[in-house]
Amino acid sequence: MRKLLLTLALSLTAAAAHAIPLFPFFVDVAGDYNDGTPSAFEKQGISCMYWKAPASYSNLDEAVMFLEDVLPYSSETITRTDREIGKKGKMVIYSSPMTAGRTTCLYLIQTPEDGFLAGYSETGE
């Protein structure tokens, strides 16, 4: 129930500011999630509010295909950044500006050591 109320509050706040919160999309990918930051994200210098090894998607490419279909893109709302991690790992970061100088980020990381993980954070003031 707490997660549902948090999602609703984020959506209403963002709608008023014409921002697109990425939390609902993170939940679509991750499903039930854990609090905190796993070591795979810490290795990349990323701090997460929530994370999960998704059960519905077996790899990063499947999750990216889903997100490309459902994310409401525009040049002012959501940006995508792709990064290589070592020789065989990769990361995709989706970010969107929020109210009061905050940014919402959805991280997808896949490495041979850690497998596929999704993470979510909000940064800024």
Side-chain angles (χ1 to χ4, degrees):
M1 184 66 170
R2 186 179 119 216
K3 293 177 184 179
L4 178 64
L5 292 175
L6 176 64
T7 302
L8 181 61
L10 286 171
S11 297
L12 292 175
T13 302
H18 304 291
I20 297 175
L22 296 177
F23 183 74
F25 300 101
F26 163 73
V27 173
D28 285 344
V29 171
D32 190 24
Y33 51 87
N34 305 313
D35 294 338
T37 304
S39 64
F41 286 92
E42 288 175 345
K43 292 176 197 173
Q44 303 305 316
I46 296 170
S47 176
C48 295
M49 295 169 64
Y50 310 111
W51 72 278
K52 186 67 173 189
S56 298
Y57 299 95
S58 61
N59 60 52
L60 182 140
D61 294 331
E62 289 179 2
V64 166
M65 283 178 45
F66 166 74
L67 290 169
E68 295 296 318
D69 286 342
V70 299
L71 284 173
Y73 278 110
S74 118
S75 61
E76 299 173 3
T77 54
I78 299 174
T79 59
R80 175 182 165 172
T81 306
D82 294 77
R83 293 186 193 167
E84 296 293 321
I85 301 174
K87 292 182 180 182
K88 295 187 179 185
K90 54 187 170 179
M91 175 172 29
V92 176
I93 304 169
Y94 294 95
S95 60
S96 178
M98 296 293 288
T99 58
R102 297 184 63 79
T103 301
T104 177
C105 296
L106 190 162
Y107 303 96
L108 304 174
I109 292 179
Q110 184 164 347
T111 64
E113 306 84 33
D114 300 306
F116 172 52
L117 301 172
Y120 176 81
S121 72
E122 293 178 7
T123 59
E125 299 174 7

